Amino acid sequence: MVVRIVIGLSATALAFAVAGRRLWRISKLVRSGAPAPDRVQDLASRAEAELVEVGGQRKLLRWTVPGVAHAFTFWGFTVLLFTIIEAYGDLFSKTFAIWGFGHNPVLGFLEDFFICAVLVALCVFSVIRIRNAPKRLDRRSRFYGSHTDAAWVTLLLIAMVMVTLLIYRAAQTNTGDFPYTWWAFASHLVGKALHPLGSGVNSVLETVFVILNVCVIVGFLVFVSYSKHLHIFAAPLNVAMSRRPRALGALDKTPDMDMENVTEDTVFGAGLIEHFTWKQMLDFVTCTECGRCQAVCPAWNTGKPLSPKLVIMGLRDNMFSQASRLLARDPEKAEPTETLVPNTIEPDVLWSCVTCGACVEECPVDIEHVDAIVDMRRYEVLMESRFPSEAGLMLRNIENQGDPWGLGQAKRTDWIAALDFEVPVVQDTIPDDVEYLYWVGCAGALDERARKAVQATARMLHRAGVTFAILGQRESCTGDPARRLGNEYLYQEQAKLNVETLKSAGARKIVATCPHCFNRIKNEYPRLGGDFEVIHHAQLLEHLVSTGRLSPGDGYEGTVTYHDPCYLGRHNRVFDQPRSVLDAIPGARQIEMRRCRERSFCCGAGGARMWMEETIGKRINMERTDEALSTGADVVSTACPYCMIMLDDAVRANSKEDEVRVLDLSQLVEESLSPAAAERSGSQPA
Ligand code: SF4
Ligand code: SF4
């Protein structure tokens, strides 16, 4: 007994010292980041995230086979915490049982069930890894660039935990020390196999394997603290501290851009690792290198150098390489070194992001890639004046003309000339009898194709008896492309101007056609003092259809595939309403693309990419349009002017414009009502 206690406790003390030192150093590194005070508020929603994301393994279970295997391993480890208590108790007393319920047969059953489940899960993981091994160097594999060798050590250590546990429990069934009845089926089964060895040998096995079990567990603790499997400890924390309800929609930070508050120490964005917050640093150490983000990234999937996984791994490596500087007590040793871009993150990596949010959506440990990327862009734009030159024209156009194309405010009302009813243009304040302010957006007002969608929407609202007015020349770019590019200053100038205009016009309810405008006004303007009720036209159409104020007709007959715009779908969770509108059109038969809803694939225009050259790899709009065309649908429908332009360009590039049309939802509703009206609106080929 003394031997058991001495070996077990010595190994534990040694492991705690080694792992504890490492974990303390990592926690100091993380805490050296900038403050993130909002990450410790709203405890109820954080507890819910812990239950759903960690306890329920929500995101992992989307990847069916590996997800189920991971879930069983996680749940197994949770239940098997009881066996760790029992193992330590057994060091002191062979007949130890957890006080109060340590003989409960249900606990015995659960422990044995999860020992078996974890062993099966380990076999599944091994098969997945063996099958993926040859593909590891293929960039289509989600493990491309991951450190996969350590995963084998982890699998081996977990297997050893389970096997040593099972053998010592089995031996206990023969020595009379086991606290459970036959409900602990696996222990009794293996015990039967060991029974012929006699009670003396079983007693030795019990002692040896309980010591081995404790040693493997604490050895695993040390290994985890030095490997990417640190996520076992970091992930529950990271999920609890994640942005609630999701790290999508608004960007996390709204820096103070008041130039009167700027000093020579002011830094905008993240140029050095310490410019990130402690939560972002926690993100970096939490990454499991699973590659789920990489597998869904449109930039990576079209041959560009951006992989969200490799970005996070690069930032983590930078953080560890800078540890002695970050933790230096001597300020002279804490002098900054090289900037993150281009030394850790290549410019082509940084500027390839379309801010679609697919990586954030997919990450099982709630890492917030988009915010980190935009933080680095902010530093590049605002501190270094380094960004793709073609984007400079877009910024100048917004600054000087109020729209990214530089067409000027005078053209903003041209689209209403094609309507056969009057649209009030708000000169002073919105009249009392007008329900909505229609936020048309730059593309909707100025781009020929997007205008048709705006006109169709206006006609559908008018037909349903919805009263609306527009700001006309008082409307200006919401600042979306400037903000996603990293020019926070220009964004805030535009945002303040628009908030002022909206307030002075007395706007309360706003309907927007562009998901980027919708997201900006709904989610980002409140931080600059603009609180309005904002709805997207897809939501309003759905409301009108479902309440019978607008009844689609039978003028359209054919198949439709709906493309979810990132900023309407993933960023704002509007997935069902557009599909309900299409469902309400009697002749429209919907076909889903493989990548749809939460897993929709970007059109390539977000993140200000619309105004940058796309010279590396396949064009993202071509990739998405290939997928849409492969459904064989007659119409590719969407609810975003950017998506419409990008998809329509790609359909034309494929010479398919005579066979497949790209239409906004509102155009399709209009066509169902009257093909003649649709022809007038341009949704029908002439
Ligand atoms: S936001 Fe989209 S493009 Fe950017 S890294 Fe994530 S998945 Fe890739
Ligand atoms: S960032 Fe998230 S999804 Fe991407 S590799 Fe790391 S853990 Fe996996």
Side-chain angles (χ1 to χ4, degrees):
M1 185 64 67
V2 177
V3 177
R4 290 160 78 128
I5 296 172
V6 170
I7 298 177
L9 293 190
S10 305
T12 305
L14 184 65
F16 270 59
V18 176
R21 184 171 175 274
R22 168 78 175 168
L23 293 176
W24 178 245
R25 188 171 168 80
I26 290 173
S27 90
K28 272 172 65 181
L29 254 184
V30 167
R31 284 181 287 128
S32 73
D38 57 332
R39 297 313 177 99
V40 283
Q41 296 163 351
D42 193 8
L43 293 181
S45 107
R46 295 185 187 286
E48 184 193 337
E50 207 63 13
L51 272 178
V52 176
E53 303 290 339
V54 181
Q57 300 273 284
R58 183 181 73 87
K59 288 189 180 177
L60 279 161
L61 285 171
R62 285 186 197 158
W63 295 66
T64 322
V65 175
V68 170
H70 189 281
F72 271 104
T73 309
F74 169 79
W75 294 326
F77 262 83
T78 310
V79 170
L80 293 176
L81 285 177
F82 290 103
T83 67
I84 296 176
I85 298 170
E86 288 171 345
Y88 274 94
D90 284 338
L91 292 178
F92 293 90
S93 162
K94 285 189 168 195
T95 53
F96 175 81
I98 298 173
W99 185 83
F101 57 94
H103 293 281
N104 190 316
V106 176
L107 179 61
F109 169 78
L110 284 175
E111 288 177 349
D112 273 34
F113 173 79
F114 277 106
I115 292 172
C116 299
V118 172
L119 285 170
V120 171
L122 293 178
C123 294
V124 173
F125 284 133
S126 302
V127 171
I128 291 172
R129 292 203 170 266
I130 290 167
R131 286 178 58 184
N132 275 299
K135 298 184 205 152
R136 226 170 21 133
L137 298 178
D138 180 343
R139 61 177 273 144
R140 283 169 299 181
S141 161
R142 70 181 167 99
F143 295 113
Y144 179 93
S146 301
H147 299 101
T148 49
D149 293 342
W152 284 112
V153 181
T154 308
L155 294 185
L156 182 69
L157 283 172
I158 297 176
M160 284 169 68
V161 171
M162 297 304 140
V163 170
T164 52
L165 176 63
L166 193 55
I167 293 181
Y168 106 75
R169 285 163 71 92
Q172 279 187 323
T173 63
N174 294 321
T175 57
D177 299 331
F178 196 50
Y180 303 111
T181 60
W182 57 269
W183 278 56
F185 62 95
S187 301
H188 280 281
L189 207 65
V190 178
K192 271 199 171 158
L194 298 180
H195 189 260
L197 298 175
S199 61
V201 174
N202 272 290
S203 179
V204 173
L205 284 177
E206 182 186 342
T207 298
V208 170
F209 277 86
V210 75
I211 292 172
L212 278 177
N213 184 246
V214 167
C215 290
V216 176
I217 288 169
V218 292
F220 185 54
L221 171 73
V222 173
F223 173 75
V224 160
S225 66
Y226 279 86
S227 73
K228 71 176 179 117
H229 294 277
L230 189 62
H231 79 266
I232 291 174
F233 302 124
L237 263 181
N238 204 50
V239 170
M241 305 296 170
S242 62
R243 197 131 62 84
R244 307 312 307 160
R246 289 181 329 279
L248 291 171
L251 285 173
D252 186 28
K253 300 174 204 157
T254 304
D256 177 4
M257 299 304 301
D258 189 339
M259 289 303 143
E260 287 189 0
N261 299 332
V262 172
T263 67
E264 61 178 19
D265 295 330
T266 305
V267 174
F268 296 115
L272 297 168
I273 199 75
E274 59 265 39
H275 297 152
F276 288 113
T277 65
W278 61 261
K279 169 59 181 63
Q280 290 175 304
M281 291 197 174
L282 185 60
D283 274 358
F284 307 154
V285 297
T286 305
C287 179
T288 69
E289 301 182 23
C290 69
R292 287 174 169 85
C293 55
Q294 180 175 284
V296 296
C297 174
W300 183 258
N301 275 287
T302 52
K304 298 174 182 58
L306 165 63
S307 149
K309 174 183 76 178
L310 298 179
V311 166
I312 298 298
M313 286 168 64
L315 294 172
R316 179 193 60 196
D317 292 349
N318 181 291
M319 186 175 108
F320 283 126
S321 72
Q322 301 287 310
S324 44
R325 184 176 69 78
L326 294 176
L327 301 180
R329 296 218 177 101
D330 177 355
E332 284 195 3
K333 286 192 188 147
E335 273 304 300
T337 51
E338 300 162 324
T339 52
L340 293 168
V341 182
N343 300 294
T344 300
I345 307 294
E346 297 272 342
D348 278 338
V349 169
L350 188 68
W351 299 112
S352 291
C353 180
V354 289
T355 68
C356 68
C359 47
V360 179
E361 177 71 38
E362 211 60 49
C363 180
V365 292
D366 282 356
I367 287 171
E368 300 165 16
H369 317 68
V370 175
D371 291 299
I373 288 170
V374 172
D375 279 340
M376 289 187 281
R377 286 184 173 189
R378 278 181 188 151
Y379 186 87
E380 288 300 288
V381 173
L382 299 173
M383 305 299 289
E384 304 281 357
S385 277
R386 290 188 300 221
F387 51 87
S389 55
E390 53 298 0
L393 178 63
M394 174 270 288
L395 294 175
R396 279 196 300 283
N397 285 337
I398 294 177
E399 197 172 350
N400 300 328
Q401 305 283 348
D403 70 83
W405 287 275
L407 295 175
Q409 298 300 86
K411 292 189 179 299
R412 282 205 179 255
T413 48
D414 286 2
W415 66 275
I416 52 177
L419 303 178
D420 53 11
F421 56 93
E422 201 179 321
V423 176
V425 181
V426 181
Q427 302 299 339
D428 186 13
T429 55
I430 300 168
D432 287 343
D433 58 348
V434 169
E435 188 178 5
Y436 284 98
L437 179 80
Y438 185 10
W439 186 273
V440 181
C442 301
L446 303 169
D447 177 86
E448 210 40 57
R449 281 168 288 185
R451 259 185 198 173
K452 287 172 182 157
V454 162
Q455 288 160 342
T457 304
R459 279 192 286 266
M460 291 305 94
L461 299 187
H462 181 69
R463 183 182 179 109
V466 176
T467 51
F468 61 92
I470 60 169
L471 285 174
Q473 296 185 25
R474 293 169 71 194
E475 189 182 302
S476 189
C477 175
T478 57
D480 171 77
R483 187 165 216 215
R484 264 52 189 176
L485 185 82
N487 194 331
E488 183 72 15
Y489 179 78
L490 180 55
Y491 157 69
Q492 290 198 16
E493 289 297 299
Q494 286 296 121
K496 284 175 195 161
L497 176 78
N498 286 323
V499 168
E500 185 63 40
T501 307
L502 287 166
K503 279 184 170 173
S504 69
R508 294 177 313 278
K509 291 168 80 174
I510 299 172
V511 57
T513 278
C514 172
H516 298 259
C517 300
F518 165 69
N519 183 55
R520 205 73 45 251
I521 304 172
K522 180 173 187 280
N523 298 320
E524 297 189 342
Y525 279 13
R527 294 194 199 163
L528 294 169
D531 273 303
F532 310 102
E533 188 185 325
V534 193
I535 189 170
H536 184 267
H537 79 268
Q539 295 171 299
L540 186 51
L541 284 179
E542 191 273 338
H543 171 73
L544 297 174
V545 167
S546 66
T547 53
R549 287 173 67 184
L550 183 65
S551 301
D554 53 12
Y556 176 77
E557 185 69 43
T559 47
V560 185
T561 188
Y562 176 71
H563 163 80
D564 291 276
C566 302
Y567 276 89
L568 186 62
R570 226 170 357 244
H571 282 275
N572 282 289
R573 286 313 193 251
V574 180
F575 296 117
D576 294 331
Q577 294 94 327
R579 290 175 170 82
S580 300
V581 173
L582 292 174
D583 273 344
I585 300 174
R589 295 183 304 282
Q590 288 192 63
I591 310 171
E592 290 286 8
M593 285 183 255
R594 181 175 62 83
R595 294 175 285 198
C596 60
R597 303 178 74 96
E598 288 92 342
R599 287 188 159 165
S600 178
F601 195 82
C602 182
C603 72
R609 287 291 328 169
M610 180 110 167
W611 289 274
M612 292 184 233
E613 298 293 340
E614 192 174 341
T615 52
I616 308 173
K618 184 177 180 182
R619 291 182 64 86
I620 294 176
N621 64 336
M622 294 298 282
E623 170 77 9
R624 182 53 165 172
T625 304
D626 285 349
E627 189 176 352
L629 294 177
S630 73
T631 63
D634 305 313
V635 167
V636 181
S637 183
T638 190
C640 169
Y642 286 3
C643 297
M644 226 176 122
I645 295 167
M646 298 301 273
L647 299 175
D648 192 59
D649 278 350
V651 166
R652 288 172 197 279
N654 277 300
S655 304
K656 293 281 185 191
E657 66 271 27
D658 293 333
E659 299 160 41
V660 178
R661 292 178 296 149
V662 180
L663 297 178
D664 187 272
L665 280 179
S666 54
Q667 289 174 284
L668 211 49
V669 173
E670 181 168 43
E671 184 169 326
S672 78
L673 288 164
S674 153
E679 196 170 314
R680 206 173 58 239
S681 82
S683 69
Q684 290 272 38

